[in-house]
Amino acid sequence: MNNLKRKIKKNPEPRLRYPLRKSISLVGLMGSGKTTIGVRLARRLNMKFVDSDHEIELAASHTVSEIFEKFGEEDFRKGERRVIKRLITQESKIVLGTGGGAFMDPKTRGRLKRHTIVIWLKVDVDLLVERTSKRDTRPLLQKGNPRKILQKLTEERYPVYKEAHIVIESGQGPHDKVVNDIIWKLNKYLAIEKKKYQKRMARKKAMMKRNAEKKGEKENADNNS
Ligand code: S3P
């Protein structure tokens, strides 16, 4: 049994061991469970869950389908960029579920990577097809065969989603298991970030000390000349 499995067996409900200084964002294709998992993750972390599509709908007073239909995808993407910027630069930390295309926009991707810990929920196409077939609220899937569209989107988007800080392979299993996996990986990620921060600080301190010493030496030399 490897270390992770042993830990999970010992403590099935892991807790976050480090303070979160950033919001969390969930990225992934339509049907990957960003909202379902996001709501549960937020509850476990005592944070608020916000869904970017829902916020866009509120701001535009139209559903996502209506925005696509009336104004086109480009306008939707502009609204998405604005809304996500607002949500992740505000004071309070949130768990943000993003629309599947949000992370593909270079500006939004840059902002998400800077201001949030980005988690990619990676799910195979069969499951995406099964889950998305339950609702007809996704305009991109109304344009043809949903399996073919989703397959094409995996090819276009997976190389970009890879830039996420954390990747979670989430399948058919219970939602709580996915949430536990996220918390384990968050702990690992935050531990590494903490070490990096401590190293940066130590380097900075050493540099300041060196500069102060140099300044002292120069002042001594000036006084003695
Ligand atoms: C889209 C995904 C949708 C929604 C819009 C476009 C996409 O969100 O933003 O229909 O480009 O993948 P979900 O991923 O939450 O379904």
Side-chain angles (χ1 to χ4, degrees):
M1 203 187 295
N2 67 26
N3 267 353
L4 187 64
K5 282 194 183 144
R6 205 170 290 131
K7 273 183 194 160
I8 291 171
K9 208 173 166 210
K10 223 170 105 188
N11 180 7
E13 279 238 325
R15 282 167 176 274
L16 205 60
R17 285 190 273 119
Y18 302 89
L20 266 182
R21 297 186 208 287
K22 288 181 172 184
S23 287
I24 292 175
S25 60
L26 298 174
V27 304
L29 274 184
M30 297 171 267
S32 56
K34 290 163 297 193
T35 306
T36 319
I37 298 300
V39 168
R40 285 166 174 80
L41 178 66
R43 210 180 293 144
R44 281 276 291 277
L45 300 180
N46 234 335
M47 288 164 87
K48 188 175 167 207
F49 175 77
V50 183
D51 176 80
S52 69
D53 279 348
H54 181 62
E55 292 294 314
I56 297 165
E57 290 181 333
L58 284 181
S61 304
H62 286 290
T63 65
V64 170
S65 297
E66 285 166 354
I67 303 172
F68 267 72
E69 203 182 306
K70 287 192 177 169
F71 310 105
E73 180 170 349
E74 208 174 302
D75 261 34
F76 171 79
R77 297 297 174 199
K78 276 187 200 153
E80 185 173 53
R81 199 178 300 141
R82 263 197 312 272
V83 164
I84 292 182
K85 181 181 175 194
R86 167 171 61 80
L87 293 171
I88 61 177
T89 52
Q90 67 190 358
E91 191 64 33
S92 59
K93 308 281 167 283
I94 54 168
V95 174
L96 175 69
T98 65
F103 200 61
M104 298 305 292
D105 177 80
K107 267 201 181 146
T108 300
R109 182 161 69 251
R111 285 188 188 123
L112 284 169
K113 284 166 72 176
R114 268 194 312 280
H115 294 284
T116 73
I117 301 174
V118 185
I119 300 177
W120 171 23
L121 297 182
K122 189 176 180 194
V123 173
D124 69 43
V125 176
D126 285 343
L127 195 51
L128 295 175
V129 174
E130 186 195 314
R131 286 182 182 163
T132 52
S133 66
K134 291 172 190 148
R135 285 196 286 142
D136 61 356
T137 50
R138 294 177 168 109
L140 292 185
L141 299 182
Q142 307 299 312
K143 289 182 179 169
N145 178 315
R147 175 177 293 276
K148 279 193 187 148
I149 297 170
L150 284 164
Q151 183 62 49
K152 189 163 176 273
L153 287 175
T154 61
E155 282 149 28
E156 286 166 12
R157 292 181 178 179
Y158 278 19
V160 179
Y161 288 158
K162 249 195 212 157
E163 292 182 31
H165 300 116
I166 294 174
V167 181
I168 298 288
E169 308 243 356
S170 87
Q172 287 279 19
H175 300 315
D176 279 345
K177 186 187 166 298
V178 181
V179 173
N180 288 345
D181 284 354
I182 293 179
I183 296 178
W184 281 117
K185 286 210 174 172
L186 266 173
N187 278 330
K188 211 168 142 194
Y189 173 81
L190 291 168
I192 294 170
E193 286 302 295
K194 188 175 171 190
K195 275 205 185 112
K196 280 191 202 160
Y197 175 78
Q198 284 170 339
K199 268 192 189 159
R200 266 202 313 277
M201 283 301 122
R203 267 202 304 271
K204 199 171 165 191
K205 221 170 139 189
M207 199 176 79
M208 278 162 68
K209 198 173 159 213
R210 265 200 312 276
N211 286 347
E213 279 166 6
K214 267 190 206 156
K215 200 174 161 210
E217 279 165 18
K218 190 177 177 297
E219 276 169 7
N220 275 345
D222 289 347
N223 288 342
N224 294 336
S225 64

